[in-house]
Amino acid sequence: MEEVCAEEMRNGVGNEGEIVKESVVEAHPYAFHVSGPRNVSSPNWKDLISSSWRKDANYKRTVMACFIQAVYLLELDRQENRTEHNALAPKWWIPFKYKLVETLKDERDGSIFGAILEWDRSAALADFVLIRPSGAPKAVLALRGTILKSPTMRRDIEDDLRFLAWESLKGSVRFSEVLKALKAIADKHGSNNVCIAGHSLGAGFALQVGKALAKEGIYVEAHLFNPPSVSLAMSFRNIGEKAGFAWKRIKSMLPSKSDSQISCEEAGATSFRVGLKQWVPHLYINNSDYICCSYTDADGPQCDQTANKENAKPTNSQTAAKLFLSSKGKQKFLEAHGLEQWWSDNLEVQMAISNSKLISQQLKSLYTLPAAQVTPVKR
């Protein structure tokens, strides 16, 4: 950074004013042109014919990751007292023709943990993009993860520990704020035109808030990067499930009345779908990230079906997710958990299992409600 300032002074532009401040921003490692995506273009008139949002899944993943990065930088800009002239965050949404309409703040410490971005029609018209490209959401609610800096670290870690202990974030102040904000923009724009996206802790909030709305029949597209998958509650539940399965095996070997043995198919018949469709979140997982890697465990049949296991199809009672796996191989944890990997030029993503055991556990309440509690889908 000193070399940049020295070079500017040699060129006669190193005054103590705005130019020096702008040069420091330009050299910042989190500046969009320094660490942002390289091969992603801004929307233009060609998108009216063939929308990148619709035809290219990598494009949507990249943009969602950039919006989350913007939320991290909104908080860092706040902590470091940056102004609108030298702020880092706006450069992460402006290229995609979106604008900031609201920030979500933790009332306890004033930290920014989320932001609502909406399609910027004025900016789009300036580049001859007359209408919003097909597949581009009208609004996106983006949520950041943990920042290990003192102004917000305490509240971030408090929620991390909440998830670790209970596998739930409903008791958090932030949960109610996110739920309220997502409901508001879904009512304003329609749930089909809204996305929620989060990274790490933010992905945990996005998953649980999205699930809460799905129970009400409001289906919002969700993009979850490195969502937390490790908790004490889950560990105890897995131990209990293994013990229960072992006991069922023992009972099956004992003499019993035939009418007391219920098949998997009969038990599954008590499930009910909510409305006419499923809520299918998009999960982005790296197997080298121990925080989220448990999502790659497949959800196998609950009964002992030894015949043709490889070709067994998910039953109606299984829940689904679009789960994308980074295929870079073994990585260090910080790299594997980082958000930057998801807009990297050399990223290779493959579709993994669609019936994750963990996502089935977390979402099964959506599809096993008693018939009297089923909520019709809101359109």
Side-chain angles (χ1 to χ4, degrees), residues 200-258:
S200 190
L201 177 62
F205 277 111
L207 176 61
Q208 296 191 11
V209 168
K211 174 184 172 181
L213 284 190
K215 283 186 174 181
E216 300 179 19
I218 303 172
Y219 293 86
V220 173
E221 186 174 315
H223 295 266
L224 315 173
F225 299 86
N226 303 86
S229 66
V230 179
S231 71
L232 296 178
M234 181 187 71
S235 300
F236 289 137
R237 183 170 62 240
N238 288 342
I239 293 173
E241 285 180 354
K242 290 178 181 178
F245 179 74
W247 174 238
K248 287 180 180 179
R249 291 294 299 271
I250 294 173
K251 284 175 65 178
S252 68
M253 300 175 188
L254 299 175
S256 61
K257 295 180 181 180
S258 59

Side-chain angles (χ1 to χ4, degrees), residues 12 16 31 40 61 66 75 78 85 109 177 185 206 224 226 248-249 277 280 282 293 299 306 320 329 336 352 366:
E16 300 180 7
V40 177
R61 183 197 69 240
C66 287
E75 172 57 18
R78 184 191 73 87
H85 301 293
D109 59 10
E177 289 296 315
I185 59 175
L224 315 173
N226 303 86
K248 287 180 180 179
R249 291 294 299 271
K277 68 177 185 178
V280 184
H282 300 67
C293 63
D299 186 15
T306 55
L366 291 178

Side-chain angles (χ1 to χ4, degrees), residues 14 18 57 74 93 100 145 183 187 238 291 373:
E18 299 284 335
L74 280 169
W93 65 69
L100 177 68
K183 273 187 175 181
D187 288 342
N238 288 342
I291 289 179
Q373 296 182 19

